[in-house]
Amino acid sequence: MILQIDGHPYHYEMESLCDIFVPYEKVTVVYGRDLPETEPTAAYTGMRVEEGTAQLLVSLTWEGRTEEARGQFPCDHPDFERQCGIEMAILLYGLFVRAAGYEPQWGILVGVRPIKLLRQLCAGMGEAEAVEYFQSRLRVSPEKTRLSVQTMRQEEKLLALSRPESFSLYISIPFCPTRCAYCSFVAQTLEQTARLVPEYVELLCRELQKTAQVAQDLGLRLETVYVGGGTPTSLSAPQLGTVLSAVREYFSLDTCREWTVEAGRPDTFSKEKLRVMQEAGVTRLSINPQTFDDRVLRRIGRGHTTEQTLEAFAMARGMGFGNINMDLIAGLPGETEEGFCHSLEEALRLSPESITVHTLSLKRSSRLNQDGKGTFVHNADAVGAMLREAQEKLSGGGYRPYYLYRQSRMAGNLENTGWAKPGYENLYNVYIMDETHTILACGAGAVSKVRDPGSSQLVRIFNFKYPHEYRSRFAEMLERKDKVRETYARFRCADPVQEIEKIAGDV
C-alpha cells in the first residue's frame, strides 16, 4: 500500500492507522503532492494552512474505487498539533471504515497504552468528560471504553504503592525449548544455543551484581522482580538456582512486594526447579497453556500437551505456590470460538489467581507470517466474540481487569488484558505498562527504562539483543549500566530535556 504524506507531521499516526486495516501489507510512505503510480490500495493525506486554518484533505483508493474527505481545524487552537492530527486521523479512519466494511472497537487509537491515555485525560478534564472524549472524539466503542475505565480504577491502588525512589528489576532468559509459530521475541531455541547457556548465566550474574551496586548507590527501592524471556525454566535447576541466588545475594529484598518467574512452558517443569524457586523466595509463577487444544498446540509448535499443563499446575499447587497466572491466546490458527471457550473454562476450573487473555499478534518476523503476506488471516468478528466471552466469564468468576495493552497487527485490532482475583494483581505488569518508575533490566535483549522521579521523562538504555552479542561485547554492555547513574544525575540538572536527549543519543 502507498501512503502519501503531504504538508503535515503526522507520518506515524497515518501509517499506524493504515496498519489497522491492511495489517499484512507493506505500507510504503512517500512525501509531497505529486501522486506516484498508485497501487490497488493507496491513501493520500494532505494539509494546507490558509488564513489561520488548516485545510485537510484525505483520499483512499480501495479495490479500484476512490473516495475523499475534507476537514479543517483552527491554527490558534491551544492543542493544535495533537488535535489537528486527530482530526486528520478521523477523516482517514472514516474512509477506511466505509471501504472495508469494518469498524475497529478501539477507533483511531494506535498506541500501546490506552489506559495511561485515559488516566491522563481524566486528570485533565474529569472522568465523565474523558469518557465522552474517548467515545465521541477517538471513536472507541462503549464496550472498550467501559473495559478501560474498569482497568484504570483497578490500577489506581497499585500505582499508589510506587514511590519516587522505587524501581523494578527485569531479568531476561532468552532461551526456549522450541520457537512458537507466532513468536517474534528475541529468543533462541536451546537446540541452537545450548553451548552458550553456562557462560550466559555467569555473565548475567555479573550484570546483576553491577546493577545492584548502581541501584544501591542511587538509593533506589526495589518493588518487584520479574524473570522473563524466553522461558526462564528452560534453564536447568542448578542454572536457574544460580540466577535466583544472585538476586538474593546482590539486591535488598526487604521492600520487594512480588517476585515473578515465567515458567511459561509446562514441558520445562520439574519439582527440582520449583523447589529452587521456592527456596529463593519467588512468590508468583506464570504457567502458560495458551490453549487447551492439543491439535492447536501442535500447529503453533508449542511442544507440550494439555496433560502436561495440568500436571505442571498440580505440581506447583502441591508444592505450595499460591499465586499462579495462566495465559490464553485468542485467535490462534485452527482454534474456533467453541475451542477458545473450552480453554477458558478449563483455566477457570483450575482457578489460578490471575488469567491473562492475549489477542494473537501476527508480527512480520513470526513463522506464521514468514512470507510477509499474512499466511494466517484472522477473523476479526470471531476474535472479538472470544474476548467478549472471556470478559463475561472472568468477571462472573470473580476476576477483575487490572492491566491492558495493545500491539500492532493484533487480530481484530483488539487488546491483551490481565485479569486477577482481588489482591493478586501483578504489580510489575502495571508498572511496566504505565511507565510508573524505573525498570532496571539485565540480560540479552533487555531494555532499562530510567524514569525521572520528578516528571514523566524516560530514558531507554539498551542491552545487546542476542546471546552471542551479549557474550562477545559484555564489557561494553556492562559499562552502559553507568548510564543509569548519569541519567539520574542529569535529571537534576537545569535543562533536563536537553541532557536527557544527549544521553539517549549516546546509548
Side-chain angles (χ1 to χ4, degrees):
M1 176 184 181
I2 289 177
L3 168 63
Q4 193 167 3
I5 306 293
D6 182 16
H8 66 83
Y10 308 119
H11 170 153
Y12 169 78
E13 293 85 348
M14 298 302 108
E15 185 175 3
S16 298
L17 200 56
C18 291
D19 280 338
I20 293 174
F21 291 92
V22 288
Y24 308 123
E25 288 187 30
K26 176 178 173 54
V27 178
T28 301
V29 179
V30 297
Y31 295 88
R33 194 163 194 173
D34 295 332
L35 284 170
E37 289 292 325
T38 58
E39 295 184 352
T41 304
Y44 168 85
T45 59
M47 182 174 79
R48 294 286 180 275
V49 175
E50 298 175 0
E51 299 180 353
T53 300
Q55 302 292 337
L56 309 177
L57 171 63
V58 302
S59 68
L60 177 67
T61 300
W62 183 283
E63 295 181 351
R65 297 182 57 187
T66 300
E67 289 191 42
E68 68 175 40
R70 296 176 181 271
Q72 57 184 22
F73 201 81
C75 294
D76 61 355
H77 190 283
D79 193 16
F80 170 77
E81 184 171 346
R82 185 166 68 96
Q83 294 298 333
C84 187
I86 290 174
E87 193 68 26
M88 179 174 285
I90 290 170
L91 293 174
L92 182 58
Y93 174 81
L95 294 182
F96 267 120
V97 167
R98 288 195 294 276
Y102 160 64
E103 184 160 8
Q105 293 190 57
W106 285 98
I108 66 170
L109 287 186
V110 296
V112 172
R113 300 173 173 86
I115 310 305
K116 185 176 183 179
L117 171 61
L118 179 60
R119 186 180 303 109
Q120 292 170 341
L121 292 172
C122 288
M125 59 180 69
E127 185 176 303
E129 191 173 341
V131 166
E132 171 63 21
Y133 183 91
F134 233 52
Q135 293 185 64
S136 62
R137 181 73 170 153
L138 303 181
R139 304 296 200 268
V140 180
S141 73
E143 176 187 340
K144 296 307 178 188
T145 301
R146 286 192 296 271
L147 177 62
S148 298
V149 171
Q150 288 177 322
T151 306
M152 179 184 69
R153 290 174 178 168
Q154 292 297 316
E155 281 187 354
E156 287 173 351
K157 60 186 177 185
L158 309 179
L159 296 174
L161 297 174
S162 179
R163 303 182 180 185
E165 70 273 20
S166 293
F167 82 104
S168 290
L169 175 66
Y170 177 79
I171 302 169
S172 169
I173 308 295
F175 307 106
C176 284
T178 60
R179 186 178 179 90
C180 298
Y182 52 78
C183 182
S184 64
F185 288 112
V186 181
Q188 313 290 307
T189 65
L190 285 176
E191 183 179 358
Q192 296 172 315
T193 56
R195 61 184 179 79
L196 297 178
V197 174
E199 186 177 7
Y200 180 86
V201 168
E202 177 188 342
L203 295 176
L204 178 60
C205 291
R206 287 174 56 191
E207 187 186 4
L208 286 166
Q209 183 178 19
K210 171 82 172 187
T211 303
Q213 187 60 58
V214 169
Q216 182 179 334
D217 292 348
L218 291 169
L220 300 182
R221 168 192 170 98
L222 181 61
E223 299 286 349
T224 72
V225 179
Y226 196 99
V227 186
T231 306
T233 47
S234 62
L235 299 181
S236 68
Q239 290 166 343
L240 181 62
T242 297
V243 174
L244 301 182
S245 295
V247 175
R248 290 199 65 84
E249 179 180 355
Y250 300 134
F251 291 86
S252 171
L253 298 175
D254 294 344
T255 59
C256 186
R257 300 179 187 273
E258 70 178 21
W259 186 350
T260 298
V261 172
E262 278 201 7
R265 290 283 293 265
D267 49 334
T268 63
F269 256 63
S270 72
K271 285 187 176 180
E272 188 180 5
K273 293 178 187 179
L274 287 170
R275 191 171 295 111
V276 162
M277 289 186 273
Q278 197 172 48
E279 291 172 353
V282 171
T283 60
R284 181 177 180 272
L285 293 180
S286 189
I287 301 171
N288 303 332
Q290 315 299 24
T291 176
F292 284 85
D293 186 326
D294 285 346
R295 180 181 53 86
V296 177
L297 286 170
R298 288 192 297 271
R299 184 167 181 177
I300 62 176
R302 279 292 279 184
H304 66 84
T305 65
T306 295
E307 186 61 31
Q308 284 176 300
T309 299
L310 299 176
E311 290 172 355
F313 189 89
M315 189 187 304
R317 276 287 194 247
M319 294 186 66
F321 283 92
N323 190 352
I324 300 176
N325 172 74
M326 302 193 92
D327 283 4
L328 297 175
I329 299 179
L332 289 171
E335 186 158 61
T336 63
E337 292 179 50
E338 293 76 14
F340 177 80
C341 288
H342 168 72
S343 293
L344 186 61
E345 288 165 359
E346 284 295 293
L348 285 166
R349 183 179 62 80
L350 294 172
S351 192
E353 283 62 43
S354 58
I355 297 176
T356 306
V357 181
H358 295 269
T359 300
L360 180 67
S361 177
L362 196 54
K363 302 293 187 171
R364 288 195 177 103
S365 60
S366 67
R367 184 157 52 84
L368 279 177
N369 194 33
Q370 281 181 341
D371 61 5
K373 298 178 182 177
T375 53
F376 165 63
V377 179
H378 58 259
N379 184 322
D381 291 337
V383 177
M386 293 177 190
L387 294 192
R388 283 191 293 275
E389 186 74 14
Q391 184 168 346
E392 180 181 340
K393 289 191 173 180
L394 288 166
S395 295
Y399 295 83
R400 300 291 178 264
Y402 74 96
Y403 91 111
L404 183 154
Y405 70 102
R406 302 176 66 235
Q407 297 168 273
S408 61
R409 296 178 180 81
M410 298 186 81
N413 192 43
L414 291 162
E415 74 279 343
N416 304 321
T417 306
W419 297 79
K421 297 176 181 179
Y424 289 97
E425 301 86 356
N426 180 221
L427 295 172
Y428 176 84
N429 284 337
V430 173
Y431 295 149
I432 189 71
M433 278 301 123
D434 183 73
E435 299 175 326
T436 308
H437 58 227
T438 289
I439 308 291
L440 297 183
C442 297
V447 181
S448 293
K449 299 179 180 181
V450 185
R451 165 76 187 258
D452 179 5
S455 75
S456 60
Q457 294 285 350
L458 197 74
V459 173
R460 291 172 173 81
I461 301 174
F462 296 83
N463 282 9
F464 294 116
K465 283 187 177 182
Y466 301 102
H468 65 272
E469 273 187 302
Y470 182 85
R471 170 180 172 270
S472 63
R473 302 177 68 179
F474 182 75
E476 177 185 348
M477 193 214 64
L478 204 60
E479 292 176 358
R480 295 187 177 190
K481 285 292 179 285
D482 292 324
K483 296 290 184 183
V484 175
R485 286 195 189 92
E486 294 177 29
T487 304
Y488 270 96
R490 297 188 194 191
F491 278 145
R492 304 181 181 97
C493 73
D495 189 0
V497 174
Q498 179 179 348
E499 294 296 338
I500 290 165
E501 288 174 350
K502 180 179 185 299
I503 295 174
D506 289 344
V507 299

